[in-house]
């Protein structure tokens, strides 16, 4: 049963554009989490635990979406870390662009959820500063977009 579940999650993650309802919303959230986690240049146990907790809060009744959100977030973080066609600045620009293009995504940004990841970098002041800047940027963008709406 476990193998079948893992196979289902892999299949849905791989073909999420086709089979996952509201995939763009899930992708957007994954990018937000990846921006904060990617600033740390690693995904350790602390980030994984917080990511899982948040995913369960967002999708309490859908374990498949929880797993897809986690896997998608890790894909983005790994691209940032390995410098595989995506860096942190490009990701933030993409997030900003999506906020401008899809107005409902403003409602998907929960700064309090994103701030929870700061506890994982409390010993690394440089990384925490980058994360704070990302949060400030998102906060300012949300204020601007909400004025326009």
């Amino acid at each position: 049963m476990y193998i079948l579940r893992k196979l289902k999650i892999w299949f849905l993650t791989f073909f999420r554009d086709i089979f996952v309802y509201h995939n763009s919303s899930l992708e957007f959230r994954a990018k937000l989490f990846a921006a904060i986690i990617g600033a740390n240049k690693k995904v350790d146990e602390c980030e994984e635990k917080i990511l899982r907790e948040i995913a369960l809060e967002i999708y309490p009744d859908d374990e498949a979406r929880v797993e897809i959100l986690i896997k998608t977030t890790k894909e983005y973080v790994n691209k940032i870390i390995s410098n595989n066609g995506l860096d942190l600045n490009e990701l933030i620009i993409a997030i900003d662009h999506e906020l401008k293009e899809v107005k409902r995504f403003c409602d998907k940004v929960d700064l309090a959820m994103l701030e929870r990841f700061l506890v994982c970098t409390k010993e690394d002041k440089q990384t925490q500063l980058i994360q704070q800047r990302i949060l400030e940027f998102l906060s300012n963008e949300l204020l601007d977009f909400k004025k326009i709406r």
Side-chain angles (χ1 to χ4, degrees):
M1 193 58 135
Y2 176 76
I3 294 172
L4 189 60
R5 187 173 155 271
K6 293 286 268 183
L7 185 61
K8 175 186 172 188
I9 298 299
W10 175 85
F11 181 82
L12 289 174
T13 302
F14 193 75
F15 294 107
R16 64 184 171 257
D17 291 344
I18 300 168
F19 294 110
V20 178
Y21 180 71
H22 284 297
N23 176 61
S24 61
S25 175
L26 186 143
E27 287 276 338
F28 179 75
R29 283 187 164 128
K31 289 176 185 176
L32 288 171
F33 298 135
I36 293 296
I37 296 169
N40 195 14
K41 299 289 188 203
K42 64 182 177 192
V43 181
D44 63 20
E45 199 174 296
C46 180
E47 280 97 2
E48 284 199 33
K49 180 179 180 244
I50 292 171
L51 180 59
R52 178 163 296 282
E53 289 170 0
I54 291 171
L56 285 166
E57 289 170 23
I58 295 170
Y59 305 117
D61 299 323
D62 193 342
E63 184 65 31
R65 282 183 86 79
V66 167
E67 293 300 323
I68 294 167
L69 177 60
I70 291 168
K71 285 187 176 296
T72 305
T73 301
K74 287 181 178 181
E75 283 177 19
Y76 282 114
V77 172
N78 288 334
K79 284 183 178 184
I80 293 168
I81 293 170
S82 66
N83 206 7
N84 185 7
L86 183 68
D87 69 17
L88 190 55
N89 291 330
E90 290 171 339
L91 182 58
I92 292 169
I93 290 168
I95 290 168
D96 188 49
H97 177 73
E98 287 184 46
L99 282 170
K100 289 176 184 168
E101 293 294 315
V102 186
K103 304 299 184 210
R104 67 183 168 87
F105 283 174
C106 288
D107 300 329
K108 306 291 180 196
V109 180
D110 186 333
L111 296 173
M113 280 185 175
L114 296 172
E115 286 174 356
R116 289 163 52 182
F117 288 101
L118 296 178
V119 72
C120 299
T121 57
K122 63 183 172 205
E123 302 298 320
D124 184 354
K125 297 301 178 195
Q126 182 69 26
T127 299
Q128 205 165 56
L129 180 64
I130 294 168
Q131 290 172 322
Q132 287 286 359
R133 295 283 187 259
I134 292 168
L135 291 169
E136 289 169 11
F137 174 78
L138 289 170
S139 177
N140 289 333
E141 291 299 285
L142 289 175
L143 287 174
D144 288 346
F145 294 146
K146 288 180 180 178
K147 287 178 191 173
I148 296 170
R149 289 166 101 183

